[in-house]
Amino acid sequence: AQSVTQLDSQVPVFEEAPVELRCNYSSSVSVYLFWYVQYPNQGLQLLLKYLSGSTLVKGINGFEAEFNKSQTSFHLRKPSVHISDTAEYFCAVTPNDYKLSFGAGTTVTVRA
Amino acid sequence: NAGVTQTPKFQVLKTGQSMTLQCAQDMNHNSMYWYRQDPGMGLRLIYYSASEGTTDKGEVPNGYNVSRLNKREFSLRLESAAPSQTSVYFCASRDLTDTQYFGPGTRLTVL
């Protein structure tokens, strides 16, 4: 079975500052990794994913994430955030068995 | 292309009442899912359907039943609602790269 730990439940950040959201996972097999974003009162939408290949993955809205197999991590970063990045962010993994395991989520609040 | 649609958007039930949450996708995906989202717990899988005609339990199936009506539609039924089932329910479908696409959610309150 897989498990996902998002190390920060809340991350306050000032506009135009960088942000990093940490995600660690445990699995006995190779996994695919995802970051989803949920804006207030909406469903989840995909930010980026790692399936194979380059360990640095670029997604929408200027986000990127790096897969580190030795540390079993998939941290999400953005060099300069906007007010509109205020949302909840979920890390998720799957060993390609049809099911995703989600972390508990990180709420990012961007302040002017 | 509507993606994944869910009805209703909001629902209030009394303990013991029953209801069905509807979900449909127009992306021709084989796999569909039902999740519940509770504060601080992320999304937890209730049931999934890997393909038309099959359904399987997820992490928290107790108190729920599902029907994969056809390739497009996957419904979730609460036979006798309990306050512990107050939650936001999301339906999703999955493409061939394991990416899941989510509906807008149903906010359910059980009094």
Side-chain angles (χ1 to χ4, degrees):
Chain A
Q2 296 69 237
S3 68
V4 181
T5 303
Q6 291 185 240
L7 295 159
D8 307 290
S9 59
Q10 309 253 1
V11 174
V13 58
F14 286 106
E15 194 173 20
E16 297 183 10
V19 71
E20 179 180 76
L21 308 184
R22 297 177 293 167
C23 173
N24 286 92
Y25 69 93
S26 65
S27 177
S28 57
V29 299
S30 295
V31 295
Y32 298 158
L33 298 136
F34 302 80
W35 276 99
Y36 283 85
V37 61
Q38 184 181 31
Y39 298 107
N41 299 314
Q42 295 187 25
L44 280 71
Q45 57 181 267
L46 182 69
L47 266 182
L48 49 78
K49 61 187 176 186
Y50 173 79
L51 303 181
S52 64
S54 172
T55 57
L56 182 62
V57 180
K58 293 191 184 296
I60 62 171
N61 300 340
F63 284 93
E64 63 181 33
E66 185 148 23
F67 170 52
N68 187 319
K69 188 174 182 179
S70 62
Q71 297 190 4
T72 59
S73 67
F74 191 53
H75 300 333
L76 181 71
R77 301 183 184 94
K78 185 170 182 177
S80 176
V81 296
H82 303 292
I83 297 287
S84 59
D85 292 320
T86 293
E88 191 161 17
Y89 294 79
F90 292 95
C91 182
V93 305
T94 179
N96 195 16
D97 66 348
Y98 297 106
K99 294 180 285 187
L100 272 177
S101 297
F102 285 88
T106 298
T107 300
V108 173
T109 304
V110 181
R111 300 167 180 168
Chain B
N1 188 341
V4 180
T5 57
Q6 292 183 235
T7 56
K9 286 187 168 43
F10 301 93
Q11 184 71 49
V12 178
L13 292 178
K14 294 181 180 177
T15 297
Q17 287 185 316
S18 62
M19 79 160 295
T20 300
L21 282 65
Q22 307 286 355
C23 173
Q25 53 95 7
D26 62 3
M27 294 174 282
N28 202 37
H29 292 163
N30 287 322
S31 301
M32 296 184 73
Y33 304 80
W34 276 105
Y35 295 92
R36 60 177 289 172
Q37 183 180 26
D38 301 292
M41 303 187 76
L43 275 76
R44 293 182 292 168
L45 183 64
I46 304 171
Y47 271 93
Y48 68 103
S49 171
S51 62
E52 187 178 355
T54 69
T55 61
D56 285 287
K57 295 178 180 179
E59 184 184 352
V60 289
N62 291 344
Y64 305 95
N65 285 301
V66 290
S67 296
R68 184 73 183 268
L69 304 169
N70 48 55
K71 192 170 187 178
R72 289 188 65 247
E73 298 172 286
F74 188 39
S75 63
L76 178 72
R77 183 160 178 83
L78 287 70
E79 290 291 352
S80 179
S84 61
Q85 294 178 303
T86 293
S87 188
V88 182
Y89 291 85
F90 288 100
C91 177
S93 66
R94 167 186 170 272
D95 71 13
L96 295 177
T97 68
D98 274 307
T99 300
Q100 292 193 16
Y101 298 83
F102 289 81
T106 295
R107 291 183 177 274
L108 175 67
T109 301
V110 183
L111 302 174

